[in-house]
Amino acid sequence: MDFSSPSEDLKTLYKLIVLYILNKVAFPLTNSQISDFILEKGYTNYFTFSQVISELSESNLIQTRALNNRTQVIITEEGEKTLEYFGNRIGSEIRHEIDTYLKDKSFELRNEVSVIGEYYKTVNGDYEASLTAKDNNTVLVNIKLSVPTPQMAEVICNKWQEKNLDIYQYLTKELF
């Protein structure tokens, strides 16, 4: 296994790929969503990917924020300008791979960052599952359920990830 560092030209390409991906979506992506694509395509390894994200953040080309045990990543205005100037360095084949991936996975990607289920212990000793679904930063639904055990709260949060659309549709049908 080769642990040598990639050339600066390759690291620049990886940075441009990350900026291109973020520029093509209208919602934040998680660090793992971006790395899944880059690692799946074999562009680089996780160590180099982490360096690229760190350097993009330090250069203010992207912003990262921790949210519910995930790191969300968005492109900044400076990142958009950089991509505008240097984006032509990304080959057409790579652009096509990114565009196809984003088209095929758009719903899954958006759903993963827009649907949040988390739980915590309340002051009375119960656990509260907080379930939220958003669309373009607009909260569609926010539900809080109190349950007696952390296991029940965790199951509820996991099921929310799978069934949020069905639950939202049920609620709107029954309430309207």
Side-chain angles (χ1 to χ4, degrees), residues 11-175:
K11 277 179 65 177
T12 298
L13 175 62
Y14 304 148
K15 290 175 187 179
L16 290 170
I17 288 170
V18 170
L19 293 175
Y20 184 81
I21 291 169
L22 292 171
N23 197 53
K24 295 294 281 186
V25 295
F27 49 91
L29 292 175
T30 64
N31 210 13
S32 64
Q33 288 173 319
I34 300 167
S35 71
D36 285 350
F37 171 77
I38 288 177
L39 298 176
E40 178 184 303
K41 294 296 181 186
Y43 293 138
T44 190
N45 58 41
Y46 189 78
F47 177 74
T48 301
F49 171 76
S50 296
Q51 282 182 317
V52 163
I53 291 295
S54 178
E55 290 174 17
L56 285 169
S57 184
E58 289 169 10
S59 302
N60 198 35
L61 300 177
I62 62 170
Q63 285 183 337
T64 60
R65 64 177 178 226
L67 184 67
N68 302 322
N69 300 327
R70 295 185 259 183
T71 302
Q72 289 189 336
V73 184
I74 58 172
I75 190 169
T76 64
E77 190 174 320
E78 227 175 288
E80 289 172 351
K81 288 179 185 174
T82 300
L83 184 62
E84 202 174 298
Y85 292 128
F86 300 107
N88 60 347
R89 293 185 181 182
I90 303 171
S92 59
E93 185 176 324
I94 293 173
R95 285 176 186 265
H96 178 71
E97 286 179 346
I98 293 168
D99 293 344
T100 301
Y101 178 82
L102 293 175
K103 181 180 174 199
D104 292 347
K105 302 273 188 175
S106 179
F107 179 77
E108 292 171 44
L109 295 171
R110 180 183 294 247
N111 195 40
E112 190 176 321
V113 295
S114 299
V115 176
I116 302 162
E118 60 185 350
Y119 66 93
Y120 48 88
K121 191 171 186 173
T122 64
V123 291
N124 67 357
D126 286 339
Y127 290 83
E128 188 166 278
S130 177
L131 314 170
T132 305
K134 297 179 181 179
D135 186 25
N136 290 330
N137 290 328
T138 300
V139 175
L140 299 174
V141 64
N142 190 359
I143 301 169
K144 293 185 188 248
L145 297 170
S146 291
V147 293
T149 68
Q151 293 83 5
M152 289 175 75
E154 185 175 355
V155 167
I156 289 169
C157 290
N158 290 337
K159 290 276 187 176
W160 178 245
Q161 292 294 325
E162 298 169 23
K163 300 192 176 262
N164 65 81
L165 185 59
D166 295 337
I167 293 167
Y168 177 74
Q169 288 174 340
Y170 172 79
L171 289 172
T172 54
K173 178 183 169 207
E174 292 298 316
L175 297 173

